[in-house]
Amino acid sequence: MTFKISTEKTPAGDQPQAIASLIDGIASGYKYQTLLGVTGSGKTFTAANVIQAVQKPTLVIAHNKTLAAQLAQEYRDFFPENAVHYFVSYYDYYQPEAYMPTSDTYIEKEAQINEEIDRLRHASTQALLTRDDVIIVASVSCIYGLGSPAEYEKKHLKIERGFAISRTEMLRTLIGLYFERTNADLSPGQFRAVGNTIEIMPTNERVICRLGFNGDGVASIIKIDAVTRAIIEEPDLFFLFPAKHFVTPEDERKVAIADIKVELDEQLKEFKKEGKILEAERLRRRTEHDLALIREIGYCNGIENYSRHFDRRKPGEAPYTLLSYFPHKKDGTPDFLTIIDESHVTIPQLNGMYAGDRSRKNTLVEFGFRLPSAVDNRPLQFAEFEDRVGQVIYTTATPGKFEYAKLQELGIKPVEQIIRPTGLIDPEIEVRGVIENGTYPGQVKDFIAESVTVIARDARVLVTTLTKKMAEDLSEFLTEKKVKAKYIHSDVDTMERIEILTAFRKGDFDCLVGVNLLREGLDLPEVELVAIMDADKEGFLRSETALIQTIGRAARNVKGRVILYADESTKALEYAISETNRRRTIQLGYNKEHNITPKSITKEIRSIADQMRTEHQETVETLLKVDRELFNKNPVKVIKEKRRQMEQAVSELDFETAAIIRDEIRFLEGKVK
């Protein structure tokens, strides 16, 4: 397959020249380029055209999960026939292992894994190992350790009809691939044995592969819908990858265990030499317990801390990451394109991950909680990251010193994209004092009055505050004043953030309150008014870059405008207003010359969260619609019949159907109450 954009949309405004310049830069061998595109100018569409022209697998890095989800959806719309995947951290909650010497407090690692995101991560790596037409939209999670791609690929199993393997041997093989056996509903990475069949749910998709055995071989392969139990296809073969990314062959595992024991002995000698008896005993007990588990079951909690030994890496050597799964040339140089979205924020994130992780690990090692090799379970250093990516395009409305320094090295300038295809111009800016005539009317009171007017036109309002607490309090206050509002910030989990933004666009509520999360890349064309509270409070959240990005949230609507609540002028305010007005002048001149009437951006309201809803939920909803009429006539009889159907499904080991009926019963019982 080759990359092919599937849309009738054609490049417009500054997009044609931007696309041509970027393609020429790649052909000229430029390692770095910067696309300076104003908000709403269609940077993603420009990037998509570059991908189509270059025809290389592409890594797109975003600075948070919400933006990554939005970008993944956009690229899927542009490339429906190609493999576009979403790769972010699979933790809904993550508390890293840590030790605080001042209070002698040890904090155990605690994590809650999102199974659906874990499935999407496996889908990403498997696509990279089996296809060329792949776009991975990732967060900075892409620079963290992932396991050897060579071992992951080597361990995969090709299963075809007639494959000479007995049912018992297949069960052992699945365990060796880190699949878990269950007698209940299947989740990705699990299998169950029923009679002469084995049902497996791969890690990359929610389907069931049923293998039928006859004697010493595979007699049949059937792919089944995990919810409806309908047969999807009967393929001649399929490929099964391991259920975990960290894969180590048995012989190498034994060598790794021996190496860990050697390192343990060396560190114990060092501790005893320094008189650290407590630390030595602590380390000995922890490591020997972990080794016993690894020896018996091949796994222990925190096994990633021994990854250097399992990967056969040298001390200090960089770990394998998602970047390792992308294609490379014979000489080892990367052979893929990298696009760093909102680079002015993403680059500092990529640059800062290593130092924080190293500081925490050093403390754990010093006090005997981990072996020294634990520090090599880490994110990439920024220099290592740059060595492991191919040609890079930075996209941002506000390039920073880093981007300009890279361009200066090559003697080139940013590729500017100031003119929007829609003819939209940057929003008008109004600065309103908080204190007027010696009185303090309050920015909130003024903002509510403005919001009511905008909401009456069925438009949306965006307001940014300085802290999470202020965002929550303002949201609550607006609700009390009959303004439908919700807040969003980094403490709101990934899926809920995506759902809130989708609901906001649909008009389920009118005002979205946030902190810095709302600045970069969020595509909200329904927003007519953006308000920035305390705009004169200098700092990171009210810097030149932050203000320009926030102002840009109103640039997708023809009536977009911005209110800056400030009593004092700051350098950041002066620059943001001046730069916005410079762009407005260019845009107005272009529109006048080409007789263009600006139009608001119209975009279908879709969410990656819709695709991440399980078919289980959709089937339950379908059944509820079918059974509702009967339920209204005789609810007790319907629930009784549903219970009988559920029990029948259980007796037939049809657990998916039983689970669907169970959830339908719960809903119906709630209606009765």
Side-chain angles (χ1 to χ4, degrees), residues 445-464:
K445 182 179 178 181
D446 183 81
F447 169 68
I448 291 175
E450 288 288 344
S451 298
V452 170
T453 303
V454 171
I455 292 168
R457 295 196 292 268
D458 195 30
R460 314 283 185 274
V461 179
L462 197 62
V463 56
T464 63

Side-chain angles (χ1 to χ4, degrees), residues 114-129:
N114 185 308
E115 288 187 358
E116 190 64 16
I117 293 179
D118 188 31
R119 181 184 70 79
L120 294 174
R121 286 165 64 92
H122 279 280
S124 297
T125 52
Q126 291 177 28
L128 286 170
L129 294 175

Side-chain angles (χ1 to χ4, degrees), residues 500-544:
I500 288 173
L501 289 169
T502 304
F504 178 57
R505 290 198 60 203
K506 289 179 178 178
D508 295 346
F509 63 97
D510 304 306
C511 178
L512 186 61
V513 187
V515 196
N516 65 326
L517 180 66
L518 295 178
R519 293 177 297 134
E520 294 90 4
L522 294 177
D523 192 352
L524 306 169
E526 294 78 15
V527 171
E528 186 176 304
L529 172 65
V530 171
I532 303 178
M533 300 293 185
D534 303 302
D536 53 358
K537 300 295 187 292
E538 291 190 276
F540 172 72
L541 294 177
R542 297 296 180 262
S543 64
E544 296 173 358

Side-chain angles (χ1 to χ4, degrees), residues 1-3 55-57 81-84 127 131-135:
M1 295 289 290
T2 57
F3 288 109
Q55 290 294 323
K56 284 187 176 183
E81 300 300 322
N82 304 113
V84 179
R131 303 180 61 154
D132 295 322
D133 59 326
V134 182
I135 298 172

Side-chain angles (χ1 to χ4, degrees), residues 268-556:
L268 291 178
K269 288 178 184 177
E270 191 67 28
F271 275 151
K272 290 174 182 177
K273 181 180 176 181
E274 297 173 2
K276 294 183 175 180
I277 307 303
L278 173 62
E279 287 82 353
E281 181 61 17
R282 177 188 288 153
L283 182 64
R284 184 187 66 79
R285 289 188 179 187
R286 159 67 68 85
T287 309
E288 288 182 352
H289 176 263
D290 287 349
L291 287 176
L293 287 173
I294 294 170
R295 196 178 292 110
E296 293 299 321
I297 63 175
Y299 185 79
C300 74
N301 188 30
I303 193 172
E304 65 275 7
N305 290 290
Y306 305 105
S307 61
R308 190 189 84 197
H309 295 289
F310 289 105
D311 293 342
R312 315 307 300 150
R313 288 183 282 125
K314 298 176 183 177
E317 190 176 347
Y320 296 109
T321 66
L322 177 68
L323 308 181
S324 309
Y325 287 73
F326 277 86
H328 292 70
K329 297 177 182 176
K330 289 182 179 180
D331 62 1
T333 57
D335 193 21
F336 61 96
L337 180 65
T338 300
I339 298 171
I340 301 183
D341 199 75
E342 305 296 350
S343 58
H344 62 283
V345 177
T346 309
I347 291 295
Q349 273 196 8
L350 291 167
N351 205 0
M353 293 293 130
Y354 173 79
D357 182 84
R358 184 60 182 257
S359 175
R360 179 175 58 83
K361 294 276 178 58
N362 283 342
T363 303
L364 289 168
V365 171
E366 181 183 352
F367 288 90
F369 290 95
R370 288 293 172 192
L371 289 171
S373 58
V375 300
D376 289 321
N377 168 45
R378 59 175 176 82
L380 295 176
Q381 298 179 47
F382 190 69
E384 293 171 335
F385 165 76
E386 290 194 297
D387 287 341
R388 284 162 175 74
V389 293
Q391 292 177 292
V392 180
I393 297 174
Y394 306 115
T395 68
T396 175
T398 50
K401 293 180 181 179
F402 174 86
E403 291 92 334
Y404 280 115
K406 290 292 185 183
L407 297 178
Q408 193 171 7
E409 287 177 14
L410 299 172
I412 60 177
K413 294 181 179 180
V415 176
E416 284 201 339
Q417 193 167 290
I418 304 296
I419 307 301
R420 298 181 176 90
T422 55
L424 280 171
I425 59 177
D426 277 30
E428 292 184 0
I429 299 175
E430 182 180 354
V431 180
R432 293 191 182 179
V434 177
I435 301 173
E436 295 178 4
N437 301 323
T439 63
Y440 187 86
Q443 52 190 352
V444 174
K445 182 179 178 181
D446 183 81
F447 169 68
I448 291 175
E450 288 288 344
S451 298
V452 170
T453 303
V454 171
I455 292 168
R457 295 196 292 268
D458 195 30
R460 314 283 185 274
V461 179
L462 197 62
V463 56
T464 63
T465 63
L466 285 172
T467 68
K468 296 174 186 177
K469 184 68 166 61
M470 290 170 66
E472 293 171 7
D473 290 345
L474 179 57
S475 176
E476 184 178 349
F477 184 75
L478 290 169
T479 302
E480 291 174 359
K481 296 297 181 182
K482 308 302 180 185
V483 175
K484 290 189 287 185
K486 286 191 177 182
Y487 68 85
I488 186 172
H489 54 58
S490 58
D491 286 348
V492 179
D493 71 49
T494 308
M495 296 308 300
E496 188 178 354
R497 289 203 298 268
I498 297 170
E499 289 165 359
I500 288 173
L501 289 169
T502 304
F504 178 57
R505 290 198 60 203
K506 289 179 178 178
D508 295 346
F509 63 97
D510 304 306
C511 178
L512 186 61
V513 187
V515 196
N516 65 326
L517 180 66
L518 295 178
R519 293 177 297 134
E520 294 90 4
L522 294 177
D523 192 352
L524 306 169
E526 294 78 15
V527 171
E528 186 176 304
L529 172 65
V530 171
I532 303 178
M533 300 293 185
D534 303 302
D536 53 358
K537 300 295 187 292
E538 291 190 276
F540 172 72
L541 294 177
R542 297 296 180 262
S543 64
E544 296 173 358
T545 298
L547 288 170
I548 289 176
Q549 289 288 345
T550 309
I551 288 167
R553 297 314 104 213
R556 288 178 167 87

Side-chain angles (χ1 to χ4, degrees), residues 61-188:
I61 306 178
H63 64 89
N64 66 53
K65 294 179 179 180
T66 308
L67 177 56
Q70 178 179 301
L71 287 170
Q73 185 58 61
E74 289 185 22
Y75 279 110
R76 282 175 180 169
D77 289 342
F78 291 139
F79 298 105
E81 300 300 322
N82 304 113
V84 179
H85 291 283
Y86 179 62
F87 187 97
V88 298
S89 169
Y90 54 25
Y91 296 119
D92 279 337
Y93 169 77
Y94 180 65
Q95 171 61 60
E97 181 183 28
Y99 178 67
M100 294 180 286
T102 53
S103 59
D104 189 27
T105 303
Y106 172 71
I107 302 172
E108 189 82 40
K109 173 185 171 182
E110 187 178 350
Q112 182 178 344
I113 292 177
N114 185 308
E115 288 187 358
E116 190 64 16
I117 293 179
D118 188 31
R119 181 184 70 79
L120 294 174
R121 286 165 64 92
H122 279 280
S124 297
T125 52
Q126 291 177 28
L128 286 170
L129 294 175
T130 56
R131 303 180 61 154
D132 295 322
D133 59 326
V134 182
I135 298 172
I136 306 294
V137 183
S139 66
V140 293
S141 175
C142 67
I143 68 169
Y144 279 78
L146 192 60
S148 167
E151 293 299 334
Y152 182 72
E153 184 175 20
K154 189 192 302 181
K155 193 78 173 177
H156 84 276
L157 191 65
K158 178 183 177 182
I159 302 174
E160 54 188 331
R161 268 185 280 183
F163 183 42
I165 188 171
S166 69
R167 176 181 175 279
T168 303
E169 288 173 325
M170 176 59 75
L171 294 176
R172 291 198 192 99
T173 301
L174 290 170
I175 295 295
L177 290 173
Y178 305 101
F179 279 76
E180 296 179 0
R181 185 168 184 171
T182 181
N183 291 321
D185 297 344
L186 287 176
S187 295

